[in-house]
Amino acid sequence: MSNATTTDVQDDRPRTAPKPPGTGLSSRSLPRWAPLGFAAVALALGIGTGLAAGWHSRTQWGLIAALLFLVISYVVTTAVENRRQAKDRLATSVVWVCFLVAVVPLASLLWTTVSRGAARLDGYFLTHSMAGVLGSEDTGGVYHALIGTLEQVGIATVISAPLGLLTAVYLVEYGKGALAKAVTFFVDVMTGIPSIVAGLFILSIMLMAKIEPSGLMGALALTILMVPVVVRSTEEMLKLVPNELREASLALGIPKWRTILKVVLPTAIGGITTGVMLAIARIAGETAPIILLVFGSQLINTNPFEGAQSSLPFYIYEQYKVGEAASYDRAWAAALVLIAFVMILNLAARGIARWKAPRR
């Protein structure tokens, strides 16, 4: 009786309808190396199409290959997997193509600078100036321009760092009302002004006060460009400090100024230092203010407060303007020195940020 009852009972559980082929998550999938295969095929087709059309530009070949890579990825993924996975792979492919479009010119520029500048860069080039050297002679160095850059950027940093830090502290910790909004607005405007405008502003003051060109005048123009970068980066770092730290300090009866000095700033010091380093790297390559205010010099001038000076960006512009083969080599070598200077600053900023990062 029990056996008959058991066999007569029907299963009332809902049955799942079979899924159409190619729509489930467990359907066929492409191997992990498929994107590399798509890229190889697209590159071969792009080069072949460019040669067949009579195009000799590698840029054109690359653009054709990128377009073919997107089409092949979408079509093959749709055929093998499903349309949903194809859309996902298409979005990923677009991201990779945009990344390569942005990186390839930068890598090409860096390779060209290193390959052409390394041949001329040596100890003699770094320790000699252009005093008495003609543009066509294969001698001379960048020492005077390197000294000028270090002094001008150093003066601008000494002025900009505390000024930008105090402004950011005011905006984050004290700023309320119309004054804070006005300061924020002008900082945003100053962030986007061209460097030539800062140079013209200082030049107008020089003409009215009858001040001679010097490294200090160039440093003041660089200060105008550096201050808003320091303010904005420091402001963002201070906003990242948890309010609980401020409240805990104030609850212990510590004055607000001491809380900022002993709690807020030490907590954000890593990010603040990184922002200052990046601001220095931003102004190190400015040329227009230096041309207007420093005038350039072939001699070594270690006094930034008197007489014309040179700088690495001005030196590169000056040597390129000469138009000789030797001057072109010096320009590329100076460009390599400038890139190395900026790269060292960025690496230092990253190291300081990691060193001062909060421990978890």
Side-chain angles (χ1 to χ4, degrees):
M1 182 68 178
S2 59
N3 293 336
T5 304
T6 303
T7 56
D8 292 338
V9 174
Q10 296 183 358
D11 190 1
D12 295 331
R13 291 176 295 177
R15 299 181 181 275
T16 304
K19 297 181 179 180
T23 59
L25 295 178
S26 60
S27 59
R28 294 179 300 171
S29 61
L30 292 169
R32 307 182 83 179
W33 50 264
L36 295 177
F38 297 157
V41 173
L43 184 60
L45 291 176
I47 296 175
T49 304
L51 292 175
W55 298 336
H56 302 286
S57 174
R58 296 181 180 178
T59 303
Q60 294 175 327
W61 299 352
L63 293 177
I64 296 173
L67 182 60
L68 290 175
F69 172 70
L70 297 178
V71 173
I72 293 173
S73 298
Y74 183 79
V75 172
V76 174
T77 306
T78 302
V80 176
E81 297 181 355
N82 54 63
R83 187 170 298 178
R84 178 181 176 184
Q85 295 293 338
K87 292 180 180 179
D88 178 77
R89 190 178 295 275
L90 177 63
T92 304
S93 301
V94 169
V95 172
W96 276 105
V97 169
C98 293
F99 169 75
L100 291 176
V101 169
V103 168
V104 167
L106 297 178
S108 176
L109 175 63
L110 183 61
W111 171 255
T112 303
T113 305
V114 172
S115 60
R116 299 196 60 175
R120 185 67 179 81
L121 183 61
D122 53 18
Y124 177 87
F125 183 75
L126 294 174
T127 55
H128 287 75
S129 68
M130 292 294 296
V133 178
L134 298 178
S136 59
E137 296 181 1
D138 191 18
T139 55
V142 75
Y143 180 74
H144 62 299
L146 184 59
I147 292 296
T149 294
L150 292 176
E151 291 183 347
Q152 294 158 25
V153 172
I155 293 174
T157 303
V158 170
I159 300 173
S160 302
L163 185 60
L165 176 62
L166 294 176
T167 303
V169 169
Y170 166 75
L171 293 176
V172 175
E173 303 294 339
Y174 297 98
K176 293 181 181 179
L179 180 59
K181 293 180 180 179
V183 172
T184 302
F185 172 76
F186 283 112
V187 168
D188 292 337
V189 171
M190 290 177 62
T191 304
I193 63 172
S195 59
I196 189 66
V197 176
L200 289 173
F201 175 72
I202 300 298
L203 180 62
S204 64
I205 297 177
M206 291 173 56
L207 295 176
M208 289 186 296
K210 297 181 180 180
I211 302 175
E212 296 295 328
S214 64
L216 176 62
M217 297 297 104
L220 293 179
L222 298 180
T223 299
I224 297 175
L225 300 174
M226 184 175 175
V227 166
V229 180
V230 177
V231 172
R232 185 59 63 221
S233 61
T234 304
E235 185 180 359
E236 295 301 323
M237 291 300 104
L238 294 178
K239 288 180 180 178
L240 293 177
V241 177
N243 286 327
E244 289 77 5
L245 295 178
R246 299 180 176 90
E247 294 171 357
S249 178
L250 296 174
L252 295 175
I254 300 176
K256 188 171 184 177
W257 68 269
R258 194 172 181 83
T259 299
I260 296 172
L261 187 63
K262 295 295 185 179
V263 176
V264 177
L265 291 180
T267 304
I269 190 62
I272 294 172
T273 306
T274 302
V276 173
M277 290 288 187
L278 295 178
I280 295 174
R282 182 247 188 273
I283 66 171
E286 292 294 341
T287 308
I290 306 302
I291 295 176
L292 290 175
L293 307 172
V294 183
F295 278 21
S297 175
Q298 306 293 332
L299 305 177
I300 299 174
N301 181 11
T302 57
N303 184 7
F305 303 102
E306 183 179 0
Q309 271 192 327
S310 185
S311 69
L312 289 174
F314 182 84
Y315 180 87
I316 297 170
Y317 165 76
E318 189 179 42
Q319 294 301 314
Y320 177 80
K321 189 173 63 174
V322 172
E324 299 288 343
S327 65
Y328 286 151
D329 293 338
R330 287 191 291 266
W332 282 110
L336 181 57
V337 173
L338 182 59
I339 290 177
F341 177 70
V342 174
M343 187 176 296
I344 290 172
L345 289 178
N346 281 274
L347 292 176
R350 290 180 177 272
I352 293 173
R354 181 171 297 182
W355 174 44
K356 291 294 184 178
R359 304 299 180 190
R360 294 183 178 180

